[in-house]
Amino acid sequence: MKIRSDIVRMYREIHSWVGIVCGLFLFVAFYAGSVTMFERPLQDWASAPVALPPPVALEKMPALLEKTFSAHPEARRNYTIVLHPTASQPASLVWGMPGRMHGPSSANFSALAADGSLVTVRKEPSQAAYFINVLHQQVGLSMPHKAGRLFMGVIALLYAVALISGTLVVIPGLIKNLFAIRLGQNVKRMWLDMHSMLGLFSLPFHIIMALTSVVFAFHDEIYMAEQALLIQPQVQHVASGSGRGQHSHNGSEDFRIPLDPGQIVRTVALQAPGFIPETLAYSNSHGSRLALRITGRDPRYGARGAGGGFAGVDPYSGKLVSTEYMPGHQTWAQSVLTSFFVLHFGSFGGQGVRWGYVLLGLGGAFMFYAGNQLWVVSRRRRERGTGRLDDTRSTRILCALTIGCSLGCVAGVSAVLCVAPLLPASGQMTIVQGLYFAIFLLCIGIAFWLKEREAIRVLLAFSAILTWMMPLSAFVVTPFFSMQASALAVDGFAILYGAFLMLWAVRPEAGQPVLRRKSFSSGPERA
């Protein structure tokens, strides 16, 4: 396919400047997003384990509920029955969690000892993995959630523009340069080849991320527009009328006895074959009629997140009363909306897809780093062509920011995970937030203070050491023989990833190939 050279130059300029504006933000978003693909295992790894008797079988759940409510009447307000306890979720009954949570919160676990007595333990989960998720959502900035969401939406729109313009730029030389990565010619060609190859081969993934991020960022505004354009006034009147009728109906049912959890599971299985329930979440926080939400997954359908989907259930009859978020039982419109969540979070296809998203996310982060380095190298070539022997201020600033922000994010995330097992749960969010931004700003300062290649070496080695310290901090809290398989996997990955960072730091000309100096001293060289 041939495109006029002037049109290619125009799109190249658009791609370059849009990439410069949003590249550093997108590096943080993609790197932190890759880490949060395993947010739950990281949360379990960083949280202190709890000692409990074996989980209670479902048929014995009424006895556990009775003893828990007798000893702790406040548990009636909000409690969850875990149908498939795991090593990271060892109890069959969890209570005391807030009804609406933003991130992990403390909870009480109840179990029965061998003699039938009640055992209750309070667990304080780590906030570190949740903070990294927030960092991903707000593209590395510390600001109120709504402002961060809108800013992320603007970055996602620019990201989409960069994708379109970049694709049009590489189309003329697509066949010739598709698999070419020329490491031994010059810096510009190397960064261009890497940036183009990573962007082209992961283009569908990047299109998905850009589109879904825009939807997430402006979903409130989209819903408001739908209500203004599609919902008629009389619908609101009917809804309010049905609400009054439902209120009086509920009042007549307040004295009914809820079904046993086993009966709930069997009744839901008849209505939704293929749906695998995982938890039954009961709520009676305002003294009104008991409400029940069942969470689970259906392997045949994607879910809104890693935790699966959910449905509202009448706890007195077991009838499904709300299936807007239940896999396989949604309306067409809800299924379309759920598809955005499924594609963005990779909540389909099992662990293979999740690891694929991790690799694509890390590759995307490096693509943005390579794009900024390409801009720096191109700018230097033009400056050397005019006879300058050193960088201009703008080139030096962007070079330092590219190195400092990118490796500052890598070091900051490793530092947060390194200290997470050692921190008290109370106030942990504030501590890890302060630690991350302190490390992040320190790395930017080092990038401005040292020469480019020295800064790359120092920051890569710093990041590697922090990553290697993650298993050490975990061993301090949890002995090796008591660790779960998921925790050992986190430690093993940290050791390997730290070794990769250190090898990159100590290799010749860290972060750059061995180059011919004449390209910077004797005028421009053809790429």
Side-chain angles (χ1 to χ4, degrees):
M1 178 179 179
K2 292 185 177 180
I3 302 178
R4 284 168 36 195
S5 59
D6 58 328
I7 295 178
V8 173
R9 283 195 299 271
M10 179 189 70
Y11 280 113
R12 183 180 291 116
E13 289 295 319
I14 294 174
H15 181 75
S16 298
W17 286 108
V18 172
I20 290 300
V21 170
C22 61
L24 297 180
F25 298 109
L26 289 172
F27 180 95
V28 177
F30 271 69
Y31 187 85
S34 297
V35 175
T36 56
M37 290 303 299
F38 294 100
E39 180 178 358
R40 184 57 185 268
L42 285 172
Q43 180 185 322
D44 294 336
W45 169 84
S47 302
V50 295
L52 278 172
V56 173
L58 191 59
E59 56 270 16
K60 296 183 179 180
M61 186 59 63
L64 177 60
L65 289 171
E66 181 180 356
K67 291 186 177 183
T68 301
F69 296 157
S70 177
H72 305 279
E74 68 277 12
R76 292 180 180 273
R77 293 197 296 268
N78 197 306
Y79 61 95
T80 299
I81 296 173
V82 181
L83 301 176
H84 307 288
T86 62
S88 61
Q89 178 64 284
S92 299
L93 179 61
V94 185
W95 55 275
M97 295 184 297
R100 296 184 66 183
M101 292 186 298
H102 295 284
S105 61
S106 58
N108 300 289
F109 292 174
S110 290
L112 295 177
D115 60 358
S117 60
L118 179 68
V119 178
T120 302
V121 176
R122 188 169 183 82
K123 182 177 181 180
E124 303 282 351
S126 171
Q127 301 283 335
Y130 173 68
F131 165 74
I132 297 173
N133 191 12
V134 173
L135 198 71
H136 157 69
Q137 295 173 14
Q138 300 186 171
V139 293
L141 298 178
S142 177
M143 59 174 61
H145 177 71
K146 184 175 181 179
R149 175 174 58 82
L150 295 176
F151 184 82
M152 182 268 289
V154 173
I155 294 296
L157 288 172
L158 293 174
Y159 173 31
V161 172
L163 288 176
I164 296 171
S165 57
T167 303
L168 292 174
V169 167
V170 301
I171 282 178
L174 181 61
I175 301 301
K176 178 181 178 181
N177 300 317
L178 184 59
F179 295 99
I181 301 181
R182 285 150 287 198
L183 299 178
Q185 295 188 13
N186 57 60
V187 182
K188 180 180 178 181
R189 178 57 64 186
M190 181 202 70
W191 288 122
L192 178 60
D193 289 343
M194 286 187 172
H195 182 74
S196 300
M197 188 194 69
L198 288 170
L200 191 62
F201 280 99
S202 58
L203 183 60
F205 174 77
H206 286 281
I207 293 174
I208 289 171
M209 293 299 108
L211 179 60
T212 54
S213 296
V214 171
V215 172
F216 294 160
F218 301 110
H219 69 276
D220 287 347
E221 290 73 17
I222 294 172
Y223 291 157
M224 290 173 61
E226 285 181 341
Q227 291 178 353
L229 296 174
L230 302 179
I231 298 180
Q232 301 298 324
Q234 59 266 29
V235 174
Q236 184 177 0
H237 175 72
V238 172
S240 61
S242 64
R244 288 193 295 270
Q246 183 70 22
H247 177 74
S248 61
H249 178 65
N250 288 349
S252 66
E253 293 184 344
D254 286 342
F255 299 101
R256 295 175 61 187
I257 300 175
L259 296 178
D260 290 342
Q263 293 176 299
I264 293 287
V265 172
R266 289 190 292 271
T267 305
V268 170
L270 293 175
Q271 301 171 77
F275 181 76
I276 304 173
E278 295 181 350
T279 65
L280 304 176
Y282 293 84
S283 177
N284 192 16
S285 57
H286 300 292
S288 59
R289 183 173 181 264
L290 189 67
L292 170 60
R293 187 176 73 176
I294 184 169
T295 66
R297 63 185 68 248
D298 190 326
R300 300 169 298 176
Y301 304 95
R304 288 176 67 92
F310 58 88
V313 179
D314 184 347
Y316 305 97
S317 66
K319 181 181 179 181
L320 294 173
V321 296
S322 175
T323 59
E324 288 87 355
Y325 301 106
M326 188 178 193
H329 295 265
Q330 298 175 298
T331 63
W332 181 85
Q334 285 289 340
S335 298
V336 171
L337 181 61
T338 297
S339 67
F340 286 98
F341 289 86
V342 171
L343 291 172
H344 189 89
F345 298 134
S347 53
F348 64 95
Q351 294 297 319
V353 171
R354 300 190 71 79
W355 276 108
Y357 267 51
V358 170
L359 296 177
L360 287 168
L362 293 176
F366 187 77
M367 182 189 73
F368 301 123
Y369 178 83
N372 275 29
Q373 287 284 18
L374 175 61
W375 188 94
V376 170
V377 171
S378 299
R379 185 70 174 263
R380 278 178 177 159
R381 291 184 63 184
R382 291 196 297 268
E383 292 168 358
R384 299 303 183 266
T386 63
R388 289 188 64 97
L389 299 178
D390 54 354
D391 294 342
T392 60
R393 179 179 299 179
S394 59
T395 302
R396 172 59 179 159
I397 289 175
L398 183 64
C399 179
L401 286 176
T402 297
I403 297 169
C405 291
S406 302
L407 297 182
C409 173
V410 175
V413 168
S414 294
V416 166
L417 294 176
C418 172
V419 303
L422 308 176
L423 294 176
S426 58
Q428 188 179 115
M429 189 69 173
T430 302
I431 297 174
V432 296
Q433 183 177 13
L435 174 64
Y436 172 83
F437 285 107
I439 295 293
F440 183 78
L441 294 175
L442 173 64
C443 291
I444 293 177
I446 291 174
F448 275 96
W449 181 40
L450 298 178
K451 294 181 179 180
E452 177 183 354
R453 296 180 183 178
E454 293 176 356
I456 293 176
R457 287 184 186 277
V458 169
L459 295 182
L460 282 171
F462 183 46
S463 301
I465 293 171
L466 289 174
T467 305
W468 276 335
M469 290 176 65
M470 287 172 54
L472 298 178
S473 65
F475 293 155
V476 170
V477 177
T478 307
F480 179 81
F481 57 85
S482 300
M483 283 193 163
Q484 305 167 17
S486 60
L488 293 175
V490 172
D491 293 334
F493 184 80
I495 293 172
L496 293 175
Y497 185 55
F500 168 76
L501 294 174
M502 186 60 73
L503 287 175
W504 191 11
V506 300
R507 63 179 291 223
E509 302 293 347
Q512 304 277 0
V514 179
L515 304 171
R516 294 175 296 180
R517 293 290 182 179
K518 66 178 183 179
S519 62
F520 286 149
S521 59
S522 59
E525 180 182 339
R526 290 188 178 272

